[in-house]
Amino acid sequence: MQALHERDRWSAAQRDEQLLVLGVTPKLAKTDGRINASGACMPQNTWWKHGIVYQIYPRSFQDSNADGIGDLEGIRRRLDYIAGLGVNAVWISPIFPSPMADFGYDIADYCGVEPIFGTLEDFDRLIGEVHARGLKMILDFVPNHTSDRHAWFAESRASRDNPKRDWYIWRDGKPDGSPPNNWISNFGGSAWQWDETTGQYYYHAFLKEQPDLNWRNPEVRAAMHDALRFWLKRGVDGFRVDVIWHLMKDPELRDNPPDPNYKPDRPEIDSLLQVHSNGHDDIYAIVNGMRRVLEEFDERVLIGEIYLPVERLVTYYGTEELPGAHLPFNFQLIFASWTAPALARMIEDYESHLPDSGWPNWVLGNHDQKRIAARIGQNQARVAAMLLLTLRGTPTMYYGDEIGMTSVDIPPEAVQDPWEKNEPGLGFNRDPQRTPMQWDDTSYAGFSTAKPWLPVSPLYHEQNVEALSGDGSSILNLYRKLIASRRKHRALSIGSFKLLHGEGNLLSYERQHENERLMVFLNLGETEIEARLPENRTGTVIVSTYGEPQAEQVPNTFTLRPHEGVVVSE
Ligand code: NOJ
């Protein structure tokens, strides 16, 4: 595809815009012969299949200019650490100009860098050094909404006949003046904001400072595709696309039905079933449009942020005719009950739903969800690390999980998260999982020399990269060993998956590639349990969550210590 002449590329894109408008499924051209429309011919060693993604929340990774907020130069200075972990790609949460109403998920310019984070030159230097280390860089793309300070929205709200009016979703109120429908914002309250100047409401699925774009408008699609191209041309290796399933709403904007199971201790958004406000069937052509833009370039990855049940999630892989995301994010580990039977069922269920050409992926945490160590405790966080890094499918790690970072208490006066400010006290504050990375034992954990934007964990004196690096049995060194094993053993990175056992406290499975067979045994409980290798096999422990294995050679039946996980080779 890259060989295509610029002019041909544009005419292909324009043709497909036309087809989309006409409701016709665009047929995909063959790309460069290695990658076909469905991804079915993609070699198993495509980087995003065998690689590991490491998410950085840029405000909290490393501050380089003493303003208490992380930045691009800070990330650059920590690249040796990241490369040393052995991961293959960094995904950086939004770095674009933003008033920060939702900490970067409210973008005021898709083709720039927020001054708090640095400059475009800083970005170019960073990506150069990322690539020089053999790493890939994934950016966040936030296409569902802009900031209300984006120039497009300023135009759109200026008058009803402004050429950009239809770039956003404007509607009259009902005859009694109330909002056009009952849709609720993800951060609470009506999703419609009255605009005095033009006497209409605009729709915002999140904050009122985040008006939703109208993706049914071809000019919006073209502008957003160009924003993707801007970064792809700068060498970006892929995108994690924010709330991708939200892009297409019911064209008639029908009311959402109430959820009969709603309890008031849940966020207000949960009081309605989100059947009309997102995930309309037209979404697949939109996702395909982005995929096609990425396929103008070599080996780029499209990751979709999607919170949907597995049978709907997998539809975002698309079809051979209309390929979608390479990796629709699979968040099931975040919500799973942490028991062997529940995990076993969940893994098998996910595997069985995957389309033939769909490559799996697993996520343990992110900037929106309670940290894994806070959810299941430090002991099981090690087991979770082993699970994440030995399952079949691309793993995504969240910065700081590798040192066991846990939820940090945020005093009311320090709260930053707009969701917590809108719906306080429900337990959905996202600040506790966004606190500064803990590098060393110096003030502010080596994150900054100034007071950070969120408090540093009081545990940082012991729980920091420097201290844990020197401790052979630390969670950090466990992560390093697991990652090294995944890189070394193709059975782990691209091998097949077979469940062996998922009862009581034991979860075990086998990974196989060609002649290599590895088995993983995880004790999800706090007492010793017995584990058995299949048939009459015996094996060698290559990693234990304890650091040192009890014994390197294991007989057919062996004991797992409390909370112990082991990877065993035949
Ligand atoms: C999902 C992002 O991960 C979250 O942080 C953000 O608040 C919403 N999308 C809105 O962009």
Side-chain angles (χ1 to χ4, degrees):
M1 200 68 163
Q2 213 171 22
L4 268 188
H5 191 277
E6 191 74 22
R7 184 172 44 83
D8 299 336
R9 240 197 257 160
W10 276 105
S11 53
Q14 278 157 357
R15 182 206 61 187
D16 294 336
E17 291 292 0
Q18 282 304 317
L19 291 175
L20 203 66
V21 171
L22 298 170
V24 178
T25 300
K27 284 260 186 301
L28 258 181
K30 278 259 180 209
T31 56
D32 59 3
R34 281 179 299 126
I35 305 174
N36 79 358
S38 67
C41 296
M42 278 191 189
Q44 292 292 65
N45 60 4
T46 302
W47 67 268
W48 51 264
K49 286 191 172 180
H50 68 73
I52 297 166
V53 178
Y54 183 82
Q55 182 192 352
I56 293 176
Y57 195 67
R59 294 181 69 88
S60 298
F61 200 60
Q62 178 66 59
D63 177 18
S64 74
N65 62 350
D67 62 0
I69 300 175
D71 44 48
L72 296 181
E73 171 58 14
I75 297 174
R76 193 189 67 77
R77 292 185 193 167
R78 295 296 185 182
L79 284 180
D80 284 340
Y81 168 75
I82 296 168
L85 283 174
V87 299
N88 306 75
V90 285
W91 149 34
I92 309 180
S93 287
I95 53 163
F96 317 102
S98 166
M100 297 286 161
D102 190 19
F103 296 111
Y105 285 94
D106 47 322
I107 294 175
D109 172 7
Y110 285 94
C111 300
V113 169
E114 162 60 38
I116 290 176
F117 295 135
T119 62
L120 258 181
E121 288 69 44
D122 292 329
F123 175 81
D124 288 340
R125 183 167 181 209
L126 174 62
I127 194 168
E129 294 199 20
V130 163
H131 286 158
R133 285 170 175 79
L135 298 169
K136 303 284 184 182
M137 185 191 280
I138 298 169
L139 286 188
D140 224 302
F141 186 58
V142 187
N144 180 65
H145 41 268
T146 67
S147 160
D148 62 346
R149 312 270 182 86
H150 197 296
W152 298 342
F153 191 66
E155 285 191 51
S156 185
R157 79 189 317 178
S159 68
R160 287 199 186 196
D161 58 6
N162 185 281
K164 291 211 168 48
R165 183 66 171 179
D166 184 52
W167 281 40
Y168 293 84
I169 301 170
W170 292 96
R171 288 292 184 281
D172 291 332
K174 290 189 174 151
D176 66 357
S178 61
N181 68 18
N182 72 348
W183 296 359
I184 290 171
S185 152
N186 280 264
F187 294 146
S190 169
W192 294 93
Q193 177 67 23
W194 174 251
D195 190 62
E196 204 57 61
T197 321
T198 54
Q200 279 192 315
Y201 286 91
Y202 67 85
Y203 176 66
H204 57 92
F206 293 88
L207 298 173
K208 67 177 176 9
E209 292 83 2
Q210 294 168 295
D212 277 42
L213 282 163
N214 175 17
W215 271 78
R216 295 187 182 278
N217 182 320
E219 291 175 12
V220 168
R221 297 199 293 271
M224 295 304 273
H225 288 177
D226 280 349
L228 289 172
R229 289 188 186 98
F230 175 87
W231 294 104
L232 290 164
K233 285 179 189 158
R234 288 195 115 81
V236 165
D237 299 288
F239 295 93
R240 170 269 190 191
V241 183
D242 193 65
V243 294
I244 201 168
W245 85 108
H246 269 260
L247 296 182
M248 278 298 181
K249 304 96 165 91
D250 174 28
E252 293 169 44
L253 304 182
R254 281 170 289 180
D255 276 356
N256 279 327
D259 182 344
N261 299 318
Y262 174 68
K263 303 254 165 19
D265 62 351
R266 298 289 308 163
E268 194 185 353
I269 180 90
D270 291 353
S271 62
L272 302 177
L273 297 166
Q274 309 299 305
V275 293
H276 295 309
S277 47
N278 57 51
H280 186 272
D281 275 354
D282 294 341
I283 184 65
Y284 302 108
I286 296 295
V287 179
N288 175 257
M290 289 185 207
R291 165 84 175 247
R292 293 168 55 78
V293 173
L294 266 68
E295 287 185 353
E296 293 167 12
F297 301 79
D298 265 348
E299 296 228 305
R300 312 296 161 106
V301 68
L302 185 68
I303 304 177
E305 186 208 22
I306 303 163
Y307 286 94
L308 285 176
V310 73
E311 59 280 6
R312 288 185 62 202
L313 173 71
V314 295
T315 64
Y316 283 76
Y317 283 104
T319 58
E320 196 162 336
E321 286 284 279
L322 205 62
H326 296 107
L327 302 173
F329 257 155
N330 167 21
F331 296 123
Q332 293 184 89
L333 284 177
I334 292 177
F335 303 107
S337 313
W338 207 254
T339 68
L343 289 171
R345 257 196 319 274
M346 183 266 282
I347 297 164
E348 292 231 290
D349 186 49
Y350 177 60
E351 285 275 354
S352 71
H353 276 91
L354 286 171
D356 287 347
S357 62
W359 184 251
N361 76 90
W362 298 94
V363 181
L364 209 50
N366 62 38
H367 62 292
D368 294 327
Q369 307 297 339
K370 209 173 189 180
R371 282 198 180 266
I372 183 71
R375 297 202 303 271
I376 59 174
Q378 292 292 352
N379 289 327
Q380 281 297 316
R382 289 168 174 258
V383 174
M386 185 169 277
L387 179 63
L388 174 74
L389 292 161
T390 58
L391 279 173
R392 189 177 85 93
T394 307
T396 297
M397 293 165 55
Y398 183 50
Y399 87 94
D401 280 353
E402 74 275 20
I403 55 169
M405 278 175 69
T406 187
S407 287
V408 177
D409 277 343
I410 309 291
E413 66 283 3
V415 168
Q416 302 286 338
D417 182 9
W419 189 8
E420 177 65 11
K421 288 182 180 171
N422 278 1
E423 295 193 283
L426 290 181
F428 293 97
N429 186 3
R430 298 173 296 175
D431 294 335
Q433 56 265 22
R434 297 175 174 182
T435 60
M437 179 68 175
Q438 297 151 210
W439 295 104
D440 57 38
D441 187 24
T442 61
S443 59
Y444 304 126
F447 163 72
S448 176
T449 51
K451 187 171 180 235
W453 74 290
L454 278 174
V456 175
S457 165
L459 306 176
Y460 84 88
H461 299 286
E462 288 80 39
Q463 193 184 56
N464 64 64
V465 168
E466 195 176 87
L468 298 185
S469 287
D471 170 0
S473 62
S474 69
I475 184 165
L476 177 57
N477 283 320
L478 170 63
Y479 263 97
R480 286 181 173 139
K481 278 182 209 153
L482 287 166
I483 294 170
S485 300
R486 193 173 174 98
R487 289 182 80 119
K488 179 168 168 204
H489 299 284
R490 290 172 72 76
L492 288 181
S493 58
I494 56 167
S496 60
F497 172 91
K498 184 173 147 202
L499 183 71
L500 297 176
H501 193 95
E503 280 163 38
N505 283 331
L506 178 64
L507 176 66
S508 63
Y509 44 90
E510 183 175 278
R511 303 291 315 279
Q512 179 169 4
H513 180 70
E514 294 170 354
N515 293 329
E516 184 179 51
R517 244 190 332 196
L518 297 182
M519 287 147 288
V520 181
F521 297 86
L522 305 174
N523 180 356
L524 281 94
E526 51 190 30
T527 54
E528 276 186 359
I529 53 171
E530 205 162 80
R532 230 185 117 232
L533 275 68
E535 298 130 25
N536 293 321
R537 289 183 230 164
T538 57
T540 307
V541 177
I542 58 172
V543 191
S544 160
T545 53
Y546 274 58
E548 289 304 317
Q550 289 188 92
E552 227 157 77
Q553 300 304 317
V554 284
N556 184 248
T557 303
F558 64 100
T559 305
L560 283 171
R561 291 170 279 187
H563 306 288
E564 184 173 30
V566 290
V567 183
V568 177
S569 80
E570 272 187 291

